[in-house]
Amino acid sequence: MLSLPTRTIQQKRESDSFAILMYKLKHIGIFRNLTQHDFGIDFELEEVIKDQVTGKSIKLQVKSSDIFTEKKNGRISISGIKQSTLNYWTQISLYQNVYITAVETKTERIFISDPIFWQVISLIDENDKTKTVELKKSLISQDSISKHSINSTKSNDIRILDNIVTQTSFELCLKLPTVSEIIYKLKDFINCLPQYLKLYSYLYSMDFQCEYYLDERNNILAQLIQTNVILQNEFEYLSWYDNHKNNPQHLEITGMWAYKKVILSHEDLKHTLNFDYWVKQSSNGISLSANIAIKPVHTLLILLVNKFREYRNIFINSKYYWYGKDPILFETITTLKLPEIHSTNDIFELYNLLEDNAF
């Protein structure tokens, strides 16, 4: 009998993992196999919506195993990654997000990283030791998905729910901003923060029946919303909303002739990032009363300032990378030390700091 080539266990795992991934994501987009010239990228996934190719795509590196060992936080670790591969991923990530995925061939579960750039830049250093990255089951919690997708608690629904979570995570992957877009908005935020705070002060000091004219100032509000859309992805915002929706916030608006408490309702919080929602609150399509206009500005400022603080910490923890890549950007981001804010008083303390040139 003739002897024939034998497939290794790793080759079978790899083949199975590719098949599982492509099957589960078959309705999301087009897979392009890049394994022939594998320098740390296995696939490109391009988004397709209603059979229309959108041109939005991401890069995927696929890891496989029969079973991965989960930590208490539900994450898994992928080790043995060369620093040259990390450098390669960061270069691609400037204009196209890179994600690491891990497929369990026995359970067909799929783990995924956040856009890998923001994790690996803190791992890059002066030595050539291999590094370890972490992945999680999804970019969105099962609870958030199940509220909209599956209400049944039957055990045979668990696998369906896992598939929905996986598909939704990859749909989100295709929509998240690239590193270049985020950096642009971080710099834009630094430049525009004084303008945002002045807008808040202006609305706060107005009588609550006074008008905020959208035709004159909507560029500021729209810009504030757009910056948040880039820096605060949709599911991060929904997670924030879930934590706050049962605790409506009260704003105190003090004007020359009146005093009023404004309540941020569930719907207000849910639609904070939707400019059209706030336009519809207008009685004439041209202006909003001050007590309406201040609602999105209040929430957006809190979200933006605290999100900037997160990115600043990432920059600080990846000093080695930024000193080699863009030391000026590093200084620009890390020099601005903003306090954590949660309330009207916090916003005005920040405004006073700006007025006193204390940044």
Side-chain angles (χ1 to χ4, degrees), residues 108-159:
E108 297 190 359
R109 292 192 307 169
I110 297 175
F111 295 82
I112 187 170
S113 70
D114 288 308
I116 201 63
F117 177 90
W118 300 104
Q119 184 178 164
V120 302
I121 56 175
S122 64
L123 302 176
I124 294 173
D125 53 30
E126 67 277 2
N127 67 62
D128 289 327
K129 292 181 180 179
T130 60
K131 304 300 193 295
T132 298
V133 297
E134 284 194 343
L135 284 63
K136 51 191 176 183
K137 290 180 183 176
S138 69
L139 300 187
I140 180 173
S141 71
Q142 289 192 357
D143 288 342
S144 297
I145 291 289
S146 61
K147 289 174 186 175
H148 306 287
S149 303
I150 296 178
N151 295 319
S152 172
T153 57
K154 295 179 181 178
S155 60
N156 61 358
D157 282 343
I158 294 176
R159 190 155 184 164

Side-chain angles (χ1 to χ4, degrees), residues 57-115:
S57 61
I58 57 176
K59 292 284 200 298
L60 301 174
Q61 170 70 35
V62 184
K63 301 293 183 181
S64 61
S65 180
D66 289 341
I67 294 290
F68 288 100
T69 302
E70 285 187 58
K71 301 177 181 179
K72 290 182 179 180
N73 61 7
R75 298 186 176 227
I76 65 169
S77 296
I78 303 295
S79 58
I81 301 174
K82 296 178 181 178
Q83 184 147 290
S84 59
T85 301
L86 301 184
N87 290 328
Y88 182 57
W89 289 341
T90 63
Q91 289 295 105
I92 296 173
S93 295
L94 292 175
Y95 301 101
Q96 190 176 27
N97 282 330
V98 176
Y99 297 87
I100 314 305
T101 62
V103 181
E104 285 186 344
T105 54
K106 280 192 175 181
T107 66
E108 297 190 359
R109 292 192 307 169
I110 297 175
F111 295 82
I112 187 170
S113 70
D114 288 308

Side-chain angles (χ1 to χ4, degrees), residues 305-343:
V305 169
N306 293 333
K307 192 64 180 180
F308 178 85
R309 284 167 50 85
E310 290 180 24
Y311 276 111
R312 180 177 178 273
N313 287 335
I314 293 174
F315 271 76
I316 291 172
N317 292 330
S318 53
K319 181 188 296 186
Y320 182 86
Y321 171 81
W322 289 112
Y323 271 9
K325 182 68 177 179
D326 193 338
I328 295 177
L329 176 63
F330 177 83
E331 293 298 330
T332 300
I333 301 297
T334 58
T335 299
L336 183 57
K337 299 178 182 179
L338 300 180
E340 188 173 357
I341 63 173
H342 300 283
S343 66

